[in-house]
Amino acid sequence: RSGKGRIYRLTANDQLPMTKAQLEMVRETQRLLGEGMEKRGENELLGLLGHADRRVRLEAQWELAGRETNALGSLVVMATKGTNQLARIHSLWALGSLYEQLPTGVGALELASVTGLLEDPDAEIRGQAALLMGTAVFANAEAPTGKLLEDISPRARFMAMQSFQDRWSN
């Protein structure tokens, strides 16, 4: 066994064949996953956080999180200033993974800078930031996270509640 997954596409007999763009996406995904993420530079990995295929995004996220403090600042910038929602979400997830690996106090300043995302215009980003606050148990994050309990978005409210559950269970 090679230890690598495979990509299969099953279609009904009456379904149209893949378009050229779909076929190119499959080939690109195969190439990216086949090559792995270990040798890719930080900027390329950050770009892959917004890839159309979730598996590619997750592999890039895990690789960045595995680089510990080296990627911390870049992930914070992507989460706070990025324009691609998926890349921002995966940056927050990577930051949560990083926070769990770092010694106490290391990276606290960088990670605390994401508290401003609790007021982001994007409800999904607000909610994901709230989840990070609960996982990382940030000091002084209770009040801004608590404001999300009255958010207009039901999903952001749910994630804020989940954040408090995570905080109290740690």
Side-chain angles (χ1 to χ4, degrees):
R1 280 193 111 193
S2 66
K4 297 185 179 175
R6 286 158 183 74
I7 299 173
Y8 294 98
R9 182 170 191 261
L10 303 175
T11 61
N13 288 338
D14 61 345
Q15 188 173 2
L16 296 174
M18 278 195 267
T19 65
K20 185 177 179 181
Q22 290 170 324
L23 189 56
E24 286 175 18
M25 176 62 75
V26 168
R27 287 187 181 138
E28 179 192 30
T29 300
Q30 286 174 325
R31 181 185 59 78
L32 290 169
L33 295 175
E35 292 172 355
M37 300 292 160
E38 302 81 24
K39 296 179 182 174
R40 297 185 191 283
E42 187 174 296
N43 287 336
E44 183 180 4
L45 290 168
L46 289 166
L48 291 175
L49 292 176
H51 193 272
D53 191 285
R54 184 173 193 254
R55 294 164 297 178
V56 173
R57 293 192 308 269
L58 286 170
E59 290 292 330
Q61 169 195 319
W62 293 330
E63 178 62 28
L64 286 164
R67 295 183 181 185
E68 297 184 1
T69 56
N70 295 337
L72 186 61
S74 298
L75 287 166
V76 168
V77 169
M78 177 64 75
T80 57
K81 298 186 183 338
T83 56
N84 181 302
Q85 183 194 50
L86 291 172
R88 295 178 74 198
I89 291 168
H90 283 277
S91 294
L92 289 168
W93 292 353
L95 287 169
S97 296
L98 267 173
Y99 188 84
E100 293 173 355
Q101 300 171 38
L102 296 175
T104 303
V106 174
L109 182 60
E110 291 91 343
L111 289 171
S113 66
V114 302
T115 57
L117 293 178
L118 293 168
E119 297 178 5
D120 196 85
D122 185 330
E124 184 67 23
I125 298 299
R126 289 193 304 273
Q128 294 293 338
L131 287 175
L132 178 59
M133 298 300 122
T135 301
V137 192
F138 284 113
N140 304 318
E142 294 93 352
T145 304
K147 289 180 184 177
L148 283 183
L149 295 173
E150 298 176 7
D151 196 271
I152 191 168
S153 164
R155 183 153 168 82
R157 288 194 309 267
F158 171 77
M159 287 192 239
M161 286 185 267
Q162 185 72 41
S163 170
F164 281 107
Q165 178 190 359
D166 292 344
R167 178 178 290 273
W168 290 325
S169 65
N170 287 333

